[in-house]
Amino acid sequence: MDFASIMQTVAIYAIPVLFAITVHEAAHGYAARHFGDHTAWMLGRITLNPLKHIDPLGTIAMPLLLLFATSGAFLFGYAKPVPVNFGQLRHPKRDMIWVALAGPGANLVMAVCWVLFGYFLVALGVEERFFLEMARAGLLVNLVLFALNMFPLPPLDGGRILVGLLPLRQAMTVSRIEPFGFFIVLALVLTGILGTYWLRPLMNLTAGVIELLLSPIRWVLF
């Protein structure tokens, strides 16, 4: 992949990525506020302003470095997590599940929206490759974020959901993994284990379900 192709890829993915991480993090903050924790609200993190959620290292530097270093073969990054004080939730163990689900749930909704956007582009006869590729990128980015964050290991959302579902003793055992969770996930990504046995299967399943649910709209439009 040459420099021009890389820059074109950056342009196509920029808006989908910004929307994906912004709405994901804002959804966590909104859910936390709904269930009693106003930490994110007081810090101004319940917002669709992407600047509030961008981590200079994880959102910009790391993905760009990997994009150029691997010619787009491998990408990894993260946003600035929305602060949640689980002790402030009205029912901490139960509400933790809903707060954690809010982020991946938002990505699921956005994936559906990007598919619909692509459908309408085709139905309207739009042939501009940039917008068609952006619709595909939006679907892909949100499927990746949904699948990755549902992996049942703290500090990912799936890990917090697992902690909320487990009995107290087992939940405390799993929660102790959190300080090392990021490095475990990174190792699983780099070795290809996470992609082969979790990300791709869950992404393919989710994409299939979305396509099935939207098939009536597709039938009407085409």
Side-chain angles (χ1 to χ4, degrees), residues 128-168:
E128 175 56 53
R129 179 176 172 270
F130 179 83
F131 294 110
L132 294 172
E133 290 295 328
M134 183 181 290
R136 295 189 187 97
L139 173 62
L140 178 61
V141 166
N142 282 285
L143 286 178
V144 169
L145 283 177
F146 170 76
L148 177 62
N149 279 286
M150 289 302 291
F151 188 67
L153 185 75
L156 295 178
D157 298 324
R160 299 197 188 282
I161 293 168
L162 180 62
V163 169
L165 292 172
L166 287 173
L168 184 59

Short mmCIF file of all heavy atoms in Angstrom, two decimals, residues 128-168:
data_model
loop_
_atom_site.label_atom_id
_atom_site.label_comp_id
_atom_site.label_asym_id
_atom_site.label_seq_id
_atom_site.Cartn_x
_atom_site.Cartn_y
_atom_site.Cartn_z
N GLU A 128 -20.40 7.49 -6.19
CA GLU A 128 -19.14 8.03 -5.65
C GLU A 128 -18.51 6.98 -4.73
O GLU A 128 -19.06 6.65 -3.68
CB GLU A 128 -19.42 9.33 -4.90
CG GLU A 128 -18.20 9.91 -4.19
CD GLU A 128 -17.03 10.15 -5.12
OE1 GLU A 128 -17.23 10.83 -6.15
OE2 GLU A 128 -15.94 9.64 -4.82
N ARG A 129 -17.36 6.47 -5.12
CA ARG A 129 -16.71 5.38 -4.38
C ARG A 129 -16.38 5.78 -2.94
O ARG A 129 -16.47 4.95 -2.02
CB ARG A 129 -15.42 4.97 -5.10
CG ARG A 129 -14.66 3.86 -4.39
CD ARG A 129 -13.44 3.42 -5.20
NE ARG A 129 -12.61 2.51 -4.44
CZ ARG A 129 -11.62 2.91 -3.64
NH1 ARG A 129 -11.35 4.20 -3.51
NH2 ARG A 129 -10.89 2.02 -2.97
N PHE A 130 -16.03 7.05 -2.72
CA PHE A 130 -15.63 7.49 -1.38
C PHE A 130 -16.75 7.24 -0.37
O PHE A 130 -16.51 6.72 0.72
CB PHE A 130 -15.27 8.98 -1.42
CG PHE A 130 -14.87 9.54 -0.08
CD1 PHE A 130 -13.58 9.39 0.39
CD2 PHE A 130 -15.80 10.22 0.72
CE1 PHE A 130 -13.21 9.89 1.63
CE2 PHE A 130 -15.44 10.73 1.94
CZ PHE A 130 -14.14 10.57 2.41
N PHE A 131 -17.98 7.60 -0.72
CA PHE A 131 -19.10 7.46 0.22
C PHE A 131 -19.51 6.00 0.39
O PHE A 131 -19.88 5.58 1.49
CB PHE A 131 -20.29 8.30 -0.24
CG PHE A 131 -20.03 9.78 -0.22
CD1 PHE A 131 -19.91 10.49 -1.39
CD2 PHE A 131 -19.86 10.44 0.98
CE1 PHE A 131 -19.65 11.85 -1.37
CE2 PHE A 131 -19.60 11.80 1.02
CZ PHE A 131 -19.50 12.51 -0.16
N LEU A 132 -19.43 5.23 -0.69
CA LEU A 132 -19.75 3.80 -0.59
C LEU A 132 -18.74 3.09 0.31
O LEU A 132 -19.11 2.25 1.13
CB LEU A 132 -19.77 3.17 -1.98
CG LEU A 132 -20.88 3.66 -2.92
CD1 LEU A 132 -20.67 3.11 -4.33
CD2 LEU A 132 -22.26 3.25 -2.39
N GLU A 133 -17.46 3.44 0.14
CA GLU A 133 -16.42 2.85 0.99
C GLU A 133 -16.56 3.31 2.43
O GLU A 133 -16.29 2.55 3.37
CB GLU A 133 -15.03 3.23 0.46
CG GLU A 133 -14.66 2.57 -0.85
CD GLU A 133 -14.53 1.06 -0.72
OE1 GLU A 133 -14.12 0.59 0.37
OE2 GLU A 133 -14.84 0.35 -1.69
N MET A 134 -17.00 4.54 2.64
CA MET A 134 -17.21 5.04 4.00
C MET A 134 -18.31 4.26 4.70
O MET A 134 -18.22 3.95 5.89
CB MET A 134 -17.54 6.53 3.98
CG MET A 134 -17.70 7.13 5.39
SD MET A 134 -18.10 8.89 5.37
CE MET A 134 -16.53 9.56 4.79
N ALA A 135 -19.38 3.93 3.95
CA ALA A 135 -20.47 3.14 4.53
C ALA A 135 -19.96 1.77 4.95
O ALA A 135 -20.29 1.28 6.04
CB ALA A 135 -21.61 3.00 3.53
N ARG A 136 -19.14 1.14 4.11
CA ARG A 136 -18.56 -0.16 4.45
C ARG A 136 -17.62 -0.03 5.65
O ARG A 136 -17.61 -0.89 6.54
CB ARG A 136 -17.80 -0.73 3.25
CG ARG A 136 -18.69 -1.05 2.05
CD ARG A 136 -17.92 -1.81 0.98
NE ARG A 136 -18.71 -1.96 -0.23
CZ ARG A 136 -18.62 -1.19 -1.30
NH1 ARG A 136 -17.75 -0.18 -1.30
NH2 ARG A 136 -19.38 -1.39 -2.36
N ALA A 137 -16.84 1.06 5.67
CA ALA A 137 -15.92 1.28 6.79
C ALA A 137 -16.69 1.48 8.09
O ALA A 137 -16.29 0.98 9.15
CB ALA A 137 -15.04 2.50 6.51
N GLY A 138 -17.80 2.22 8.02
CA GLY A 138 -18.62 2.44 9.21
C GLY A 138 -19.15 1.14 9.79
O GLY A 138 -19.14 0.93 11.01
N LEU A 139 -19.60 0.25 8.91
CA LEU A 139 -20.07 -1.05 9.36
C LEU A 139 -18.93 -1.84 9.99
O LEU A 139 -19.07 -2.38 11.09
CB LEU A 139 -20.65 -1.84 8.17
CG LEU A 139 -21.03 -3.30 8.45
CD1 LEU A 139 -22.10 -3.40 9.51
CD2 LEU A 139 -21.46 -4.00 7.18
N LEU A 140 -17.78 -1.89 9.31
CA LEU A 140 -16.65 -2.67 9.80
C LEU A 140 -16.14 -2.16 11.14
O LEU A 140 -15.93 -2.95 12.08
CB LEU A 140 -15.52 -2.63 8.77
CG LEU A 140 -14.23 -3.37 9.17
CD1 LEU A 140 -14.50 -4.84 9.40
CD2 LEU A 140 -13.16 -3.18 8.09
N VAL A 141 -15.96 -0.84 11.26
CA VAL A 141 -15.43 -0.26 12.50
C VAL A 141 -16.34 -0.58 13.68
O VAL A 141 -15.88 -0.98 14.76
CB VAL A 141 -15.28 1.27 12.35
CG1 VAL A 141 -15.07 1.93 13.70
CG2 VAL A 141 -14.12 1.59 11.42
N ASN A 142 -17.64 -0.44 13.48
CA ASN A 142 -18.57 -0.68 14.58
C ASN A 142 -18.70 -2.17 14.91
O ASN A 142 -18.89 -2.53 16.08
CB ASN A 142 -19.93 -0.06 14.26
CG ASN A 142 -19.92 1.44 14.49
OD1 ASN A 142 -19.95 1.92 15.61
ND2 ASN A 142 -19.86 2.20 13.40
N LEU A 143 -18.58 -3.03 13.91
CA LEU A 143 -18.59 -4.46 14.19
C LEU A 143 -17.35 -4.85 15.00
O LEU A 143 -17.43 -5.65 15.93
CB LEU A 143 -18.62 -5.26 12.89
CG LEU A 143 -19.95 -5.29 12.12
CD1 LEU A 143 -19.79 -6.08 10.82
CD2 LEU A 143 -21.06 -5.90 12.97
N VAL A 144 -16.20 -4.27 14.64
CA VAL A 144 -14.96 -4.56 15.37
C VAL A 144 -15.08 -4.09 16.82
O VAL A 144 -14.75 -4.83 17.76
CB VAL A 144 -13.75 -3.89 14.69
CG1 VAL A 144 -12.52 -3.96 15.60
CG2 VAL A 144 -13.44 -4.56 13.37
N LEU A 145 -15.54 -2.85 17.02
CA LEU A 145 -15.67 -2.32 18.37
C LEU A 145 -16.68 -3.11 19.19
O LEU A 145 -16.47 -3.37 20.38
CB LEU A 145 -16.06 -0.84 18.33
CG LEU A 145 -14.94 0.13 17.99
CD1 LEU A 145 -15.47 1.56 17.91
CD2 LEU A 145 -13.81 0.06 19.02
N PHE A 146 -17.79 -3.49 18.57
CA PHE A 146 -18.79 -4.30 19.26
C PHE A 146 -18.20 -5.63 19.70
O PHE A 146 -18.28 -6.01 20.87
CB PHE A 146 -20.00 -4.53 18.36
CG PHE A 146 -20.97 -5.54 18.90
CD1 PHE A 146 -21.83 -5.21 19.94
CD2 PHE A 146 -21.01 -6.84 18.39
CE1 PHE A 146 -22.72 -6.14 20.46
CE2 PHE A 146 -21.89 -7.78 18.90
CZ PHE A 146 -22.75 -7.43 19.94
N ALA A 147 -17.58 -6.35 18.76
CA ALA A 147 -17.04 -7.67 19.06
C ALA A 147 -15.89 -7.60 20.06
O ALA A 147 -15.82 -8.40 21.00
CB ALA A 147 -16.58 -8.35 17.76
N LEU A 148 -14.98 -6.64 19.86
CA LEU A 148 -13.83 -6.52 20.77
C LEU A 148 -14.28 -6.21 22.18
O LEU A 148 -13.82 -6.83 23.15
CB LEU A 148 -12.88 -5.44 20.26
CG LEU A 148 -11.66 -5.15 21.14
CD1 LEU A 148 -10.78 -6.38 21.26
CD2 LEU A 148 -10.85 -3.99 20.58
N ASN A 149 -15.19 -5.25 22.32
CA ASN A 149 -15.61 -4.85 23.66
C ASN A 149 -16.48 -5.89 24.36
O ASN A 149 -16.62 -5.84 25.58
CB ASN A 149 -16.34 -3.50 23.59
CG ASN A 149 -15.39 -2.34 23.52
OD1 ASN A 149 -14.77 -1.96 24.51
ND2 ASN A 149 -15.24 -1.77 22.34
N MET A 150 -17.06 -6.82 23.62
CA MET A 150 -17.85 -7.88 24.24
C MET A 150 -17.00 -9.05 24.70
O MET A 150 -17.52 -9.99 25.31
CB MET A 150 -18.93 -8.37 23.26
CG MET A 150 -20.06 -7.37 23.03
SD MET A 150 -20.93 -6.90 24.56
CE MET A 150 -21.75 -8.44 24.96
N PHE A 151 -15.69 -9.01 24.43
CA PHE A 151 -14.82 -10.08 24.92
C PHE A 151 -14.85 -10.08 26.45
O PHE A 151 -14.63 -9.05 27.09
CB PHE A 151 -13.40 -9.87 24.41
CG PHE A 151 -12.47 -11.02 24.70
CD1 PHE A 151 -12.67 -12.24 24.08
CD2 PHE A 151 -11.42 -10.89 25.58
CE1 PHE A 151 -11.83 -13.32 24.33
CE2 PHE A 151 -10.57 -11.95 25.84
CZ PHE A 151 -10.77 -13.17 25.21
N PRO A 152 -15.11 -11.23 27.07
CA PRO A 152 -15.36 -11.28 28.52
C PRO A 152 -14.11 -11.22 29.38
O PRO A 152 -13.77 -12.17 30.10
CB PRO A 152 -16.10 -12.62 28.69
CG PRO A 152 -15.56 -13.47 27.59
CD PRO A 152 -15.33 -12.55 26.42
N LEU A 153 -13.42 -10.09 29.30
CA LEU A 153 -12.22 -9.91 30.11
C LEU A 153 -12.12 -8.45 30.54
O LEU A 153 -12.12 -7.56 29.68
CB LEU A 153 -10.97 -10.30 29.29
CG LEU A 153 -9.64 -10.26 30.04
CD1 LEU A 153 -9.52 -11.47 30.97
CD2 LEU A 153 -8.47 -10.27 29.04
N PRO A 154 -12.07 -8.17 31.84
CA PRO A 154 -11.90 -6.78 32.28
C PRO A 154 -10.57 -6.24 31.77
O PRO A 154 -9.60 -7.00 31.69
CB PRO A 154 -11.89 -6.89 33.81
CG PRO A 154 -12.49 -8.23 34.11
CD PRO A 154 -12.14 -9.11 32.95
N PRO A 155 -10.46 -4.95 31.40
CA PRO A 155 -11.46 -3.88 31.59
C PRO A 155 -12.41 -3.70 30.41
O PRO A 155 -13.09 -2.68 30.34
CB PRO A 155 -10.57 -2.65 31.75
CG PRO A 155 -9.41 -2.94 30.83
CD PRO A 155 -9.17 -4.42 30.93
N LEU A 156 -12.44 -4.63 29.47
CA LEU A 156 -13.38 -4.51 28.36
C LEU A 156 -14.81 -4.62 28.89
O LEU A 156 -15.06 -5.17 29.96
CB LEU A 156 -13.12 -5.60 27.32
CG LEU A 156 -11.76 -5.52 26.60
CD1 LEU A 156 -11.60 -6.69 25.65
CD2 LEU A 156 -11.61 -4.21 25.86
N ASP A 157 -15.75 -4.10 28.11
CA ASP A 157 -17.15 -4.09 28.55
C ASP A 157 -17.67 -5.50 28.82
O ASP A 157 -18.43 -5.73 29.77
CB ASP A 157 -18.03 -3.41 27.50
CG ASP A 157 -17.64 -1.96 27.29
OD1 ASP A 157 -17.28 -1.31 28.29
OD2 ASP A 157 -17.69 -1.48 26.15
N GLY A 158 -17.25 -6.46 28.00
CA GLY A 158 -17.67 -7.84 28.22
C GLY A 158 -17.20 -8.37 29.55
O GLY A 158 -17.89 -9.18 30.19
N GLY A 159 -16.03 -7.93 29.97
CA GLY A 159 -15.51 -8.34 31.28
C GLY A 159 -16.34 -7.77 32.41
O GLY A 159 -16.61 -8.46 33.41
N ARG A 160 -16.75 -6.52 32.27
CA ARG A 160 -17.59 -5.91 33.30
C ARG A 160 -18.97 -6.56 33.33
O ARG A 160 -19.57 -6.72 34.40
CB ARG A 160 -17.72 -4.41 33.05
CG ARG A 160 -16.39 -3.67 33.08
CD ARG A 160 -16.58 -2.18 33.23
NE ARG A 160 -15.34 -1.45 33.08
CZ ARG A 160 -14.40 -1.33 34.01
NH1 ARG A 160 -14.57 -1.94 35.17
NH2 ARG A 160 -13.31 -0.62 33.79
N ILE A 161 -19.47 -6.94 32.16
CA ILE A 161 -20.76 -7.65 32.12
C ILE A 161 -20.63 -8.99 32.84
O ILE A 161 -21.50 -9.38 33.62
CB ILE A 161 -21.20 -7.86 30.65
CG1 ILE A 161 -21.52 -6.51 30.00
CG2 ILE A 161 -22.42 -8.80 30.58
CD1 ILE A 161 -21.68 -6.59 28.49
N LEU A 162 -19.51 -9.69 32.59
CA LEU A 162 -19.27 -10.98 33.25
C LEU A 162 -19.19 -10.81 34.76
O LEU A 162 -19.79 -11.60 35.51
CB LEU A 162 -17.97 -11.59 32.71
CG LEU A 162 -17.57 -12.95 33.31
CD1 LEU A 162 -18.62 -14.01 33.01
CD2 LEU A 162 -16.20 -13.38 32.78
N VAL A 163 -18.49 -9.79 35.23
CA VAL A 163 -18.39 -9.52 36.66
C VAL A 163 -19.76 -9.26 37.26
O VAL A 163 -20.08 -9.72 38.36
CB VAL A 163 -17.44 -8.32 36.93
CG1 VAL A 163 -17.53 -7.87 38.38
CG2 VAL A 163 -16.01 -8.70 36.59
N GLY A 164 -20.60 -8.52 36.53
CA GLY A 164 -21.94 -8.23 37.03
C GLY A 164 -22.84 -9.45 37.08
O GLY A 164 -23.75 -9.52 37.92
N LEU A 165 -22.58 -10.43 36.21
CA LEU A 165 -23.43 -11.62 36.15
C LEU A 165 -23.01 -12.71 37.13
O LEU A 165 -23.83 -13.50 37.59
CB LEU A 165 -23.43 -12.19 34.72
CG LEU A 165 -24.12 -11.35 33.65
CD1 LEU A 165 -23.87 -11.95 32.27
CD2 LEU A 165 -25.62 -11.25 33.92
N LEU A 166 -21.71 -12.75 37.44
CA LEU A 166 -21.20 -13.82 38.30
C LEU A 166 -21.58 -13.61 39.77
O LEU A 166 -21.79 -12.48 40.20
CB LEU A 166 -19.67 -13.88 38.18
CG LEU A 166 -19.09 -14.44 36.89
CD1 LEU A 166 -17.57 -14.26 36.89
CD2 LEU A 166 -19.44 -15.91 36.72
N PRO A 167 -21.65 -14.71 40.54
CA PRO A 167 -21.80 -14.57 42.00
C PRO A 167 -20.63 -13.77 42.56
O PRO A 167 -19.55 -13.71 41.96
CB PRO A 167 -21.76 -16.03 42.48
CG PRO A 167 -22.17 -16.84 41.30
CD PRO A 167 -21.64 -16.11 40.10
N LEU A 168 -20.84 -13.17 43.73
CA LEU A 168 -19.89 -12.20 44.27
C LEU A 168 -18.46 -12.74 44.36
O LEU A 168 -17.52 -12.07 43.96
CB LEU A 168 -20.36 -11.75 45.66
CG LEU A 168 -19.50 -10.65 46.32
CD1 LEU A 168 -19.46 -9.41 45.45
CD2 LEU A 168 -20.05 -10.32 47.70
#
